[in-house]
Amino acid sequence: MKLALVGIGKIAVDQHVPALAESPDWDLAATVSRSGTVDGVEAFDSMEKMLAARPDIGTVSLCLPPVPRFQAARAALLAGRHVMLEKPPGATLAEVHILHDLARQQGLSLFATWHSRHAHGVASAKAWLADKVIREGRVIWREDVRKWHPGQDWIFEAGGMGVFDPGINATSILTEILPAPIHLRSAEMDFPANRQAPIAARLEFSGNIHADFDFREEGPQTWDMEFATDGGHLALRNGGNKLEIDGKAVEGGDRIMGAEYPALYARMAQLVPQGRSDVDLLPMVLIADAFTLGRRNTVEEFQF
Ligand code: NAP
């Protein structure tokens, strides 16, 4: 199946292009980006031009930041194309509901992807936790924004989500593996004085689950969660890639995102022939609720 990749930035180059090159299902037939291109692939600088010129391309995969994503997704669906969305699936929840309804009306697939749910240890963690009572959970997601998002000013603009851009990967795993639903009870967010999105946040969820997200971590980078349960201790480290039960490694290793994007494209290849959608908004509901309920601190200015 032919696919167009839209927004040729960091994640498109690092993960989507290699995953598509290996995929038995997909042929990367075009790119849409104002400046980015992929060698050997027809390049367009606008969605409208690509949609008009390439009616043979049935699927569009959007790697834009969240704010411009809705307009591009809507145009693709109205032009009869299946759509795959990077996380977070939109700048607002209502946008994604509208896209989901539109896909349904058009008989097309909409896939709101959560790449971290495909990390090596996630399925096993979910299976192990299924019959446990969780007494306490701790999520620590601390990374250096200058290293992982160099110069991406959009991430600190309104709708860019700030530290919740990686933090939503943690809530995508939490909402996948926990045996019972959780909701936000309180939150505290640190906004740099010159920015519109938080650089750090601390969240408290029901079930005695706490999260610490920080974009200012210059030492070891941490993407871990740990749970004390009635049947032992589970730790899921390296963004869901390494699973430990009672301190012993049982699955995975240090690779970050190696298998996640091939799994997303395999899933999209299942959805498209059936015109089915896969849209789970729970990870984003928890983050939107932090903006609704959270207390706001102003902290020192941030420059890349
Ligand atoms: P990025 O490097 O800034 O790339 C985004 C691309 O979108 C740009 O290259 C830009 O290409 C295009 N674009 C179109 N309209 C834009 C606008 N108004 N502002 C900025 N760029 C615009 O960002 P990214 O890291 O690839 O992230 C894109 C999405 O992937 C985000 O939702 C992010 O959460 C998700 N993601 C990122 C990572 C990661 O590690 N970086 C991991 C997983 C998921 P042109 O200017 O050429 O049009």
Side-chain angles (χ1 to χ4, degrees):
M1 293 177 279
K2 290 182 189 169
L3 178 141
L5 200 54
V6 182
I8 307 301
K10 187 169 190 309
I11 200 62
V13 170
D14 288 357
Q15 298 292 333
H16 289 256
V17 172
L20 286 163
E22 279 175 26
S23 169
D25 303 303
W26 298 103
D27 169 20
L28 177 55
T31 60
V32 180
S33 209
R34 294 165 304 187
S35 53
T37 57
V38 174
D39 280 351
V41 178
E42 186 178 8
F44 294 88
D45 61 10
S46 85
M47 275 291 281
E48 291 64 31
K49 288 182 198 164
M50 186 278 292
L51 292 170
R54 295 296 303 265
D56 56 315
I57 295 177
T59 299
V60 172
S61 178
L62 300 181
C63 308
L64 305 162
V67 169
R69 190 145 345 108
F70 174 73
Q71 206 183 350
R74 185 169 176 277
L77 289 168
L78 286 173
R81 318 302 165 91
H82 306 281
V83 172
M84 186 163 154
L85 303 170
E86 251 301 350
K87 49 63 46 169
T92 71
L93 292 162
E95 284 177 4
V96 192
H97 286 299
I98 289 170
L99 294 176
H100 197 184
D101 287 346
L102 183 57
R104 225 180 267 126
Q105 286 159 20
Q106 299 274 86
L108 295 165
S109 296
L110 180 71
F111 182 18
T113 66
W114 299 109
H115 66 86
S116 292
R117 287 183 170 178
H118 298 274
H120 292 301
V122 170
S124 302
K126 179 177 181 168
W128 190 86
L129 286 171
D131 60 356
K132 307 289 187 304
V133 176
I134 292 172
R135 300 201 166 119
E136 188 185 359
R138 279 190 333 127
V139 179
I140 301 179
W141 232 249
R142 298 177 71 96
E143 65 177 51
D144 182 355
V145 66
R146 292 188 177 94
K147 175 170 180 178
W148 301 101
H149 304 277
Q152 290 180 0
D153 277 311
W154 63 262
I155 219 163
F156 283 115
E157 285 165 11
M161 289 206 175
V163 77
F164 293 123
D165 178 87
I168 206 167
N169 297 333
T171 61
S172 78
I173 295 176
L174 269 182
T175 50
E176 175 70 13
I177 66 176
L178 292 180
I182 56 168
H183 65 273
L184 187 79
R185 292 169 61 103
S186 68
E188 190 180 4
M189 297 170 285
D190 299 338
F191 285 70
N194 60 336
R195 302 283 180 169
Q196 294 294 328
I199 197 161
R202 293 156 299 280
L203 313 180
E204 187 201 341
F205 297 104
S206 57
N208 201 19
I209 294 172
H210 301 262
D212 170 11
F213 300 155
D214 207 311
F215 248 162
R216 299 166 298 193
E217 187 62 66
E218 290 177 2
Q221 308 284 288
T222 306
W223 300 279
D224 288 356
M225 51 184 75
E226 300 190 25
F227 301 95
T229 78
D230 61 342
H233 184 270
L234 179 144
L236 196 49
R237 306 194 187 284
N238 297 339
N241 281 285
K242 186 175 178 188
L243 176 62
E244 294 170 3
I245 307 287
D246 294 327
K248 290 201 190 89
V250 295
E251 187 144 350
D254 294 336
R255 277 177 67 201
I256 301 288
M257 296 204 286
E260 298 172 20
Y261 282 80
L264 294 179
Y265 279 103
R267 173 80 179 132
M268 188 65 177
Q270 291 173 339
L271 294 172
V272 163
Q274 301 168 16
R276 283 197 299 130
S277 290
D278 181 341
V279 180
D280 176 10
L281 286 174
L282 267 180
M284 188 165 160
V285 167
L286 296 178
I287 301 301
D289 285 356
F291 283 108
T292 307
L293 186 64
R295 293 168 61 86
R296 177 186 170 129
N297 306 318
T298 301
V299 298
E300 71 175 294
E301 293 194 356
F302 176 82
Q303 312 292 348
F304 275 103

